[in-house]
Every structure is written in C-alpha cells, then in structure tokens.
Short mmCIF file of all heavy atoms in Angstrom, two decimals:
data_model
loop_
_atom_site.label_atom_id
_atom_site.label_comp_id
_atom_site.label_asym_id
_atom_site.label_seq_id
_atom_site.Cartn_x
_atom_site.Cartn_y
_atom_site.Cartn_z
N GLU A 1323 0.86 -1.18 0.00
CA GLU A 1323 0.00 0.00 0.00
C GLU A 1323 0.89 1.22 0.00
O GLU A 1323 1.95 1.23 0.61
CB GLU A 1323 -0.88 0.04 1.25
CG GLU A 1323 -1.93 -1.04 1.28
CD GLU A 1323 -2.76 -0.96 2.54
OE1 GLU A 1323 -2.81 0.12 3.16
OE2 GLU A 1323 -3.33 -1.98 2.91
N ILE A 1324 0.44 2.26 -0.66
CA ILE A 1324 1.19 3.51 -0.70
C ILE A 1324 0.94 4.26 0.60
O ILE A 1324 -0.17 4.32 1.08
CB ILE A 1324 0.71 4.38 -1.86
CG1 ILE A 1324 0.69 3.60 -3.16
CG2 ILE A 1324 1.46 5.67 -1.93
CD1 ILE A 1324 1.87 3.75 -4.00
N HIS A 1325 2.00 4.82 1.16
CA HIS A 1325 1.80 5.73 2.29
C HIS A 1325 0.96 6.91 1.82
O HIS A 1325 1.05 7.33 0.67
CB HIS A 1325 3.14 6.26 2.80
CG HIS A 1325 3.91 5.26 3.60
ND1 HIS A 1325 3.44 4.73 4.77
CD2 HIS A 1325 5.12 4.70 3.38
CE1 HIS A 1325 4.34 3.88 5.25
NE2 HIS A 1325 5.36 3.84 4.42
N ASN A 1326 0.14 7.43 2.69
CA ASN A 1326 -0.68 8.58 2.33
C ASN A 1326 0.25 9.79 2.21
O ASN A 1326 0.65 10.37 3.19
CB ASN A 1326 -1.74 8.81 3.40
CG ASN A 1326 -2.73 9.86 2.98
OD1 ASN A 1326 -2.71 10.32 1.84
ND2 ASN A 1326 -3.60 10.24 3.89
N ASP A 1327 0.59 10.14 0.99
CA ASP A 1327 1.59 11.18 0.74
C ASP A 1327 1.14 11.99 -0.47
O ASP A 1327 0.97 11.44 -1.54
CB ASP A 1327 2.94 10.49 0.47
CG ASP A 1327 4.08 11.47 0.35
OD1 ASP A 1327 3.84 12.65 0.08
OD2 ASP A 1327 5.23 11.03 0.52
N GLU A 1328 0.98 13.28 -0.29
CA GLU A 1328 0.50 14.12 -1.40
C GLU A 1328 1.49 14.19 -2.56
O GLU A 1328 1.13 14.53 -3.67
CB GLU A 1328 0.13 15.52 -0.93
CG GLU A 1328 1.27 16.36 -0.42
CD GLU A 1328 1.59 16.11 1.05
OE1 GLU A 1328 0.88 15.36 1.71
OE2 GLU A 1328 2.58 16.69 1.51
N ARG A 1329 2.75 13.82 -2.33
CA ARG A 1329 3.72 13.80 -3.43
C ARG A 1329 3.43 12.64 -4.38
O ARG A 1329 3.93 12.61 -5.49
CB ARG A 1329 5.14 13.66 -2.89
CG ARG A 1329 5.60 14.86 -2.09
CD ARG A 1329 6.96 14.60 -1.52
NE ARG A 1329 6.88 13.44 -0.62
CZ ARG A 1329 7.91 12.77 -0.16
NH1 ARG A 1329 9.12 13.10 -0.51
NH2 ARG A 1329 7.75 11.76 0.66
N PHE A 1330 2.65 11.68 -3.95
CA PHE A 1330 2.36 10.50 -4.75
C PHE A 1330 0.85 10.39 -4.89
O PHE A 1330 0.19 9.74 -4.08
CB PHE A 1330 2.94 9.26 -4.07
CG PHE A 1330 3.02 8.06 -4.96
CD1 PHE A 1330 4.01 7.96 -5.92
CD2 PHE A 1330 2.10 7.05 -4.86
CE1 PHE A 1330 4.09 6.85 -6.75
CE2 PHE A 1330 2.17 5.93 -5.67
CZ PHE A 1330 3.16 5.85 -6.62
N PRO A 1331 0.26 11.05 -5.88
CA PRO A 1331 -1.21 11.08 -5.99
C PRO A 1331 -1.80 9.70 -6.27
O PRO A 1331 -1.14 8.83 -6.82
CB PRO A 1331 -1.45 12.02 -7.18
CG PRO A 1331 -0.18 12.01 -7.94
CD PRO A 1331 0.92 11.75 -6.97
N HIS A 1332 -3.04 9.53 -5.89
CA HIS A 1332 -3.72 8.25 -6.06
C HIS A 1332 -4.15 8.07 -7.51
O HIS A 1332 -4.43 9.02 -8.22
CB HIS A 1332 -4.95 8.18 -5.15
CG HIS A 1332 -4.57 8.21 -3.71
ND1 HIS A 1332 -3.99 7.15 -3.07
CD2 HIS A 1332 -4.69 9.18 -2.79
CE1 HIS A 1332 -3.76 7.46 -1.81
NE2 HIS A 1332 -4.17 8.69 -1.61
N TYR A 1333 -4.25 6.81 -7.91
CA TYR A 1333 -4.74 6.50 -9.25
C TYR A 1333 -6.19 6.95 -9.39
O TYR A 1333 -7.00 6.74 -8.49
CB TYR A 1333 -4.70 4.99 -9.51
CG TYR A 1333 -3.32 4.43 -9.70
CD1 TYR A 1333 -2.72 3.67 -8.70
CD2 TYR A 1333 -2.62 4.63 -10.86
CE1 TYR A 1333 -1.46 3.13 -8.87
CE2 TYR A 1333 -1.35 4.10 -11.05
CZ TYR A 1333 -0.78 3.36 -10.05
OH TYR A 1333 0.47 2.84 -10.23
N ARG A 1334 -6.49 7.55 -10.51
CA ARG A 1334 -7.89 7.80 -10.85
C ARG A 1334 -8.47 6.49 -11.34
O ARG A 1334 -9.58 6.12 -11.01
CB ARG A 1334 -8.00 8.88 -11.93
CG ARG A 1334 -9.42 9.15 -12.37
CD ARG A 1334 -9.49 10.32 -13.33
NE ARG A 1334 -8.71 10.07 -14.53
CZ ARG A 1334 -9.23 9.65 -15.68
NH1 ARG A 1334 -10.51 9.42 -15.79
NH2 ARG A 1334 -8.45 9.46 -16.73
N LYS A 1335 -7.70 5.80 -12.16
CA LYS A 1335 -8.14 4.52 -12.69
C LYS A 1335 -6.95 3.58 -12.71
O LYS A 1335 -5.96 3.83 -13.40
CB LYS A 1335 -8.68 4.72 -14.11
CG LYS A 1335 -9.17 3.45 -14.76
CD LYS A 1335 -9.77 3.76 -16.12
CE LYS A 1335 -10.40 2.51 -16.69
NZ LYS A 1335 -11.00 2.74 -18.00
N LEU A 1336 -7.02 2.51 -11.92
CA LEU A 1336 -5.97 1.50 -11.92
C LEU A 1336 -6.31 0.50 -13.01
O LEU A 1336 -7.31 -0.20 -12.93
CB LEU A 1336 -5.88 0.81 -10.56
CG LEU A 1336 -4.81 -0.27 -10.43
CD1 LEU A 1336 -3.41 0.31 -10.63
CD2 LEU A 1336 -4.91 -0.95 -9.07
N LEU A 1337 -5.50 0.46 -14.07
CA LEU A 1337 -5.79 -0.42 -15.19
C LEU A 1337 -5.44 -1.87 -14.87
O LEU A 1337 -6.16 -2.77 -15.23
CB LEU A 1337 -5.02 0.04 -16.43
CG LEU A 1337 -5.39 1.44 -16.90
CD1 LEU A 1337 -4.46 1.89 -18.00
CD2 LEU A 1337 -6.84 1.47 -17.36
N PHE A 1338 -4.33 -2.09 -14.21
CA PHE A 1338 -4.03 -3.43 -13.73
C PHE A 1338 -2.89 -3.38 -12.72
O PHE A 1338 -2.11 -2.45 -12.68
CB PHE A 1338 -3.71 -4.40 -14.87
CG PHE A 1338 -2.37 -4.20 -15.53
CD1 PHE A 1338 -1.24 -4.85 -15.06
CD2 PHE A 1338 -2.25 -3.39 -16.64
CE1 PHE A 1338 -0.01 -4.68 -15.68
CE2 PHE A 1338 -1.03 -3.22 -17.27
CZ PHE A 1338 0.09 -3.87 -16.78
N ALA A 1339 -2.83 -4.40 -11.90
CA ALA A 1339 -1.73 -4.62 -10.96
C ALA A 1339 -1.36 -6.09 -11.12
O ALA A 1339 -2.23 -6.96 -11.20
CB ALA A 1339 -2.17 -4.33 -9.54
N LEU A 1340 -0.07 -6.34 -11.19
CA LEU A 1340 0.39 -7.69 -11.50
C LEU A 1340 1.64 -7.99 -10.70
O LEU A 1340 2.56 -7.19 -10.66
CB LEU A 1340 0.69 -7.77 -13.00
CG LEU A 1340 1.14 -9.08 -13.57
CD1 LEU A 1340 -0.01 -10.10 -13.51
CD2 LEU A 1340 1.55 -8.88 -15.02
N GLU A 1341 1.67 -9.15 -10.06
CA GLU A 1341 2.88 -9.60 -9.37
C GLU A 1341 3.56 -10.67 -10.20
O GLU A 1341 2.93 -11.34 -11.01
CB GLU A 1341 2.51 -10.15 -7.99
CG GLU A 1341 2.00 -9.07 -7.07
CD GLU A 1341 1.65 -9.58 -5.70
OE1 GLU A 1341 2.26 -10.56 -5.25
OE2 GLU A 1341 0.76 -8.99 -5.09
N GLN A 1342 4.83 -10.82 -10.02
CA GLN A 1342 5.65 -11.81 -10.71
C GLN A 1342 5.67 -11.60 -12.22
O GLN A 1342 5.73 -12.54 -12.98
CB GLN A 1342 5.15 -13.23 -10.43
CG GLN A 1342 5.74 -13.84 -9.20
CD GLN A 1342 5.39 -15.30 -9.12
OE1 GLN A 1342 4.23 -15.66 -9.16
NE2 GLN A 1342 6.38 -16.14 -8.99
N ALA A 1343 5.61 -10.38 -12.67
CA ALA A 1343 5.62 -10.10 -14.10
C ALA A 1343 7.04 -10.06 -14.63
O ALA A 1343 7.91 -9.47 -14.02
CB ALA A 1343 4.94 -8.77 -14.37
N ARG A 1344 7.26 -10.69 -15.76
CA ARG A 1344 8.54 -10.55 -16.46
C ARG A 1344 8.48 -9.25 -17.25
O ARG A 1344 7.43 -8.88 -17.76
CB ARG A 1344 8.75 -11.72 -17.41
CG ARG A 1344 8.89 -13.02 -16.68
CD ARG A 1344 9.05 -14.17 -17.67
NE ARG A 1344 9.07 -15.42 -16.96
CZ ARG A 1344 10.14 -15.94 -16.39
NH1 ARG A 1344 11.29 -15.32 -16.46
NH2 ARG A 1344 10.08 -17.08 -15.73
N PRO A 1345 9.59 -8.53 -17.35
CA PRO A 1345 9.57 -7.23 -18.02
C PRO A 1345 9.00 -7.25 -19.44
O PRO A 1345 8.20 -6.39 -19.80
CB PRO A 1345 11.04 -6.81 -18.02
CG PRO A 1345 11.60 -7.48 -16.81
CD PRO A 1345 10.89 -8.80 -16.74
N ASP A 1346 9.36 -8.24 -20.24
CA ASP A 1346 8.85 -8.27 -21.61
C ASP A 1346 7.35 -8.51 -21.65
O ASP A 1346 6.62 -7.87 -22.40
CB ASP A 1346 9.59 -9.32 -22.45
CG ASP A 1346 9.56 -10.71 -21.83
OD1 ASP A 1346 9.30 -10.85 -20.62
OD2 ASP A 1346 9.79 -11.68 -22.58
N ARG A 1347 6.85 -9.40 -20.80
CA ARG A 1347 5.41 -9.67 -20.74
C ARG A 1347 4.66 -8.49 -20.15
O ARG A 1347 3.54 -8.17 -20.57
CB ARG A 1347 5.14 -10.94 -19.94
CG ARG A 1347 5.71 -12.16 -20.61
CD ARG A 1347 5.51 -13.39 -19.78
NE ARG A 1347 6.26 -14.51 -20.35
CZ ARG A 1347 6.63 -15.56 -19.69
NH1 ARG A 1347 6.32 -15.69 -18.41
NH2 ARG A 1347 7.31 -16.53 -20.27
N ALA A 1348 5.25 -7.85 -19.16
CA ALA A 1348 4.61 -6.69 -18.55
C ALA A 1348 4.47 -5.55 -19.55
O ALA A 1348 3.47 -4.83 -19.55
CB ALA A 1348 5.40 -6.23 -17.33
N ALA A 1349 5.46 -5.38 -20.41
CA ALA A 1349 5.38 -4.33 -21.43
C ALA A 1349 4.22 -4.58 -22.36
O ALA A 1349 3.46 -3.67 -22.70
CB ALA A 1349 6.70 -4.26 -22.20
N VAL A 1350 4.03 -5.82 -22.77
CA VAL A 1350 2.91 -6.16 -23.66
C VAL A 1350 1.58 -5.95 -22.94
O VAL A 1350 0.63 -5.38 -23.51
CB VAL A 1350 3.04 -7.62 -24.15
CG1 VAL A 1350 1.79 -8.06 -24.89
CG2 VAL A 1350 4.26 -7.77 -25.04
N LEU A 1351 1.48 -6.38 -21.67
CA LEU A 1351 0.25 -6.16 -20.90
C LEU A 1351 -0.04 -4.67 -20.74
O LEU A 1351 -1.19 -4.25 -20.80
CB LEU A 1351 0.37 -6.82 -19.53
CG LEU A 1351 0.31 -8.34 -19.52
CD1 LEU A 1351 0.69 -8.87 -18.14
CD2 LEU A 1351 -1.07 -8.81 -19.91
N THR A 1352 1.00 -3.89 -20.54
CA THR A 1352 0.83 -2.45 -20.42
C THR A 1352 0.25 -1.88 -21.71
O THR A 1352 -0.69 -1.09 -21.69
CB THR A 1352 2.17 -1.77 -20.08
OG1 THR A 1352 2.65 -2.31 -18.84
CG2 THR A 1352 2.02 -0.27 -19.95
N ARG A 1353 0.81 -2.30 -22.84
CA ARG A 1353 0.32 -1.82 -24.14
C ARG A 1353 -1.16 -2.15 -24.31
O ARG A 1353 -1.95 -1.30 -24.72
CB ARG A 1353 1.12 -2.46 -25.26
CG ARG A 1353 0.69 -1.98 -26.63
CD ARG A 1353 1.40 -2.66 -27.79
NE ARG A 1353 2.72 -3.16 -27.46
CZ ARG A 1353 3.13 -4.39 -27.75
NH1 ARG A 1353 2.35 -5.24 -28.35
NH2 ARG A 1353 4.36 -4.77 -27.44
N HIS A 1354 -1.55 -3.38 -23.98
CA HIS A 1354 -2.95 -3.78 -24.14
C HIS A 1354 -3.87 -3.02 -23.18
O HIS A 1354 -4.98 -2.65 -23.56
CB HIS A 1354 -3.10 -5.29 -23.96
CG HIS A 1354 -2.49 -6.07 -25.07
ND1 HIS A 1354 -2.87 -5.94 -26.39
CD2 HIS A 1354 -1.50 -6.99 -25.06
CE1 HIS A 1354 -2.16 -6.74 -27.15
NE2 HIS A 1354 -1.31 -7.39 -26.37
N ALA A 1355 -3.43 -2.83 -21.96
CA ALA A 1355 -4.25 -2.10 -20.99
C ALA A 1355 -4.45 -0.64 -21.41
O ALA A 1355 -5.53 -0.08 -21.25
CB ALA A 1355 -3.61 -2.16 -19.60
N LEU A 1356 -3.41 -0.04 -21.97
CA LEU A 1356 -3.51 1.36 -22.38
C LEU A 1356 -4.32 1.55 -23.65
O LEU A 1356 -4.77 2.66 -23.93
CB LEU A 1356 -2.11 1.94 -22.56
CG LEU A 1356 -1.28 2.04 -21.29
CD1 LEU A 1356 0.13 2.52 -21.61
CD2 LEU A 1356 -1.93 2.96 -20.28
N ALA A 1357 -4.53 0.48 -24.40
CA ALA A 1357 -5.30 0.59 -25.64
C ALA A 1357 -6.70 1.13 -25.37
O ALA A 1357 -7.25 1.88 -26.18
CB ALA A 1357 -5.37 -0.76 -26.33
N GLU A 1358 -7.28 0.77 -24.22
CA GLU A 1358 -8.64 1.23 -23.92
C GLU A 1358 -8.71 2.74 -23.65
O GLU A 1358 -9.79 3.31 -23.69
CB GLU A 1358 -9.21 0.46 -22.73
CG GLU A 1358 -8.65 0.86 -21.38
CD GLU A 1358 -9.27 0.10 -20.23
OE1 GLU A 1358 -9.15 -1.14 -20.20
OE2 GLU A 1358 -9.87 0.76 -19.38
N LEU A 1359 -7.58 3.37 -23.40
CA LEU A 1359 -7.58 4.81 -23.14
C LEU A 1359 -7.46 5.64 -24.42
O LEU A 1359 -7.57 6.86 -24.37
CB LEU A 1359 -6.42 5.18 -22.21
CG LEU A 1359 -6.44 4.57 -20.82
CD1 LEU A 1359 -5.21 4.99 -20.04
CD2 LEU A 1359 -7.71 4.95 -20.07
N ASN A 1360 -7.22 4.97 -25.55
CA ASN A 1360 -7.06 5.66 -26.84
C ASN A 1360 -6.01 6.76 -26.77
O ASN A 1360 -6.23 7.89 -27.21
CB ASN A 1360 -8.40 6.23 -27.32
CG ASN A 1360 -9.40 5.13 -27.59
OD1 ASN A 1360 -9.05 4.12 -28.18
ND2 ASN A 1360 -10.62 5.32 -27.14
N LEU A 1361 -4.86 6.42 -26.22
CA LEU A 1361 -3.77 7.38 -26.08
C LEU A 1361 -3.02 7.52 -27.40
O LEU A 1361 -3.03 6.60 -28.22
CB LEU A 1361 -2.78 6.89 -25.01
CG LEU A 1361 -3.32 6.77 -23.60
CD1 LEU A 1361 -2.31 6.04 -22.73
CD2 LEU A 1361 -3.64 8.12 -23.04
N PRO A 1362 -2.33 8.62 -27.58
CA PRO A 1362 -1.44 8.72 -28.73
C PRO A 1362 -0.40 7.59 -28.66
O PRO A 1362 0.04 7.20 -27.59
CB PRO A 1362 -0.77 10.09 -28.57
CG PRO A 1362 -1.67 10.85 -27.66
CD PRO A 1362 -2.35 9.85 -26.78
N TYR A 1363 0.01 7.11 -29.82
CA TYR A 1363 0.95 6.00 -29.90
C TYR A 1363 2.21 6.28 -29.09
O TYR A 1363 2.71 5.41 -28.38
CB TYR A 1363 1.30 5.73 -31.37
CG TYR A 1363 2.38 4.70 -31.54
CD1 TYR A 1363 2.09 3.34 -31.39
CD2 TYR A 1363 3.69 5.07 -31.82
CE1 TYR A 1363 3.08 2.38 -31.54
CE2 TYR A 1363 4.69 4.11 -31.96
CZ TYR A 1363 4.38 2.78 -31.82
OH TYR A 1363 5.36 1.84 -31.96
N GLU A 1364 2.74 7.49 -29.20
CA GLU A 1364 3.97 7.87 -28.51
C GLU A 1364 3.85 7.68 -26.99
O GLU A 1364 4.76 7.18 -26.34
CB GLU A 1364 4.26 9.34 -28.81
CG GLU A 1364 5.68 9.66 -29.11
CD GLU A 1364 5.79 11.13 -29.49
OE1 GLU A 1364 5.74 11.98 -28.59
OE2 GLU A 1364 5.91 11.41 -30.70
N VAL A 1365 2.71 8.09 -26.44
CA VAL A 1365 2.50 7.99 -24.99
C VAL A 1365 2.41 6.52 -24.57
O VAL A 1365 3.03 6.11 -23.59
CB VAL A 1365 1.24 8.77 -24.57
CG1 VAL A 1365 0.91 8.53 -23.10
CG2 VAL A 1365 1.41 10.25 -24.85
N ALA A 1366 1.64 5.74 -25.30
CA ALA A 1366 1.48 4.33 -24.96
C ALA A 1366 2.81 3.58 -25.08
O ALA A 1366 3.15 2.76 -24.23
CB ALA A 1366 0.43 3.69 -25.86
#
C-alpha cells in the first residue's frame, strides 16, 4: 500500500496490478491495458 503522501497522488483509474511479471510480458500487458484509453501511440 502507498503511504498517504500528497507527493504520490492516487490512481484515478488503476488499469491493472500484476505480481511476478517478467519485463517483456509486462510491457505487452501495459500496451494492451492502455489501448482502452485511446492514447497517442507515442504515450502508450
């Protein structure tokens, strides 16, 4: 859990949380999760 600290704002929308993720797989999951936000390609 995050300490209650104004320097670290809370998520408005938590798209996913994952434990034991390998970096390459996590990158792909991140890309898929961000697809629903319709972000510019550069940002995603």
Side-chain angles (χ1 to χ4, degrees):
E1323 291 180 22
I1324 308 264
H1325 284 299
N1326 188 8
D1327 186 339
E1328 65 275 355
R1329 294 176 298 166
F1330 195 77
H1332 296 288
Y1333 288 106
R1334 178 174 61 99
K1335 180 176 186 180
L1336 180 62
L1337 298 172
F1338 73 89
L1340 182 67
E1341 293 181 30
Q1342 272 190 305
R1344 295 178 185 277
D1346 55 341
R1347 295 177 190 158
V1350 171
L1351 289 170
T1352 301
R1353 181 184 333 131
H1354 290 301
L1356 294 175
E1358 75 178 61
L1359 298 178
N1360 296 317
L1361 297 170
Y1363 174 77
E1364 223 175 77
V1365 173

